[in-house]
Amino acid sequence: MAEDERNIDDPARLADEAREIVQKAATELRALRIPIETEPPTTFKAD
């Protein structure tokens, strides 16, 4: 991994790093198969 030349507190660098972390976590979550039975029950309330 190439070392980033930007300042450690540079907002653009921090945003890029946060975006990478979020995208990696999202990819891992999408790979999981969750059975529908684990969904909480919903209550229908007519107005």
Side-chain angles (χ1 to χ4, degrees), residues 1-42:
M1 184 166 131
E3 195 61 36
D4 201 331
E5 291 95 29
R6 294 180 287 184
N7 186 336
I8 191 76
D9 293 325
D10 180 18
R13 176 182 177 168
L14 294 173
D16 289 344
E17 291 174 356
R19 192 174 301 111
E20 289 174 15
I21 292 168
V22 168
Q23 288 175 349
K24 182 179 178 188
T27 301
E28 291 172 1
L29 286 173
R30 285 188 203 105
L32 297 177
R33 286 285 150 221
I34 301 174
I36 192 68
E37 294 83 22
T38 62
E39 294 293 321
T42 57

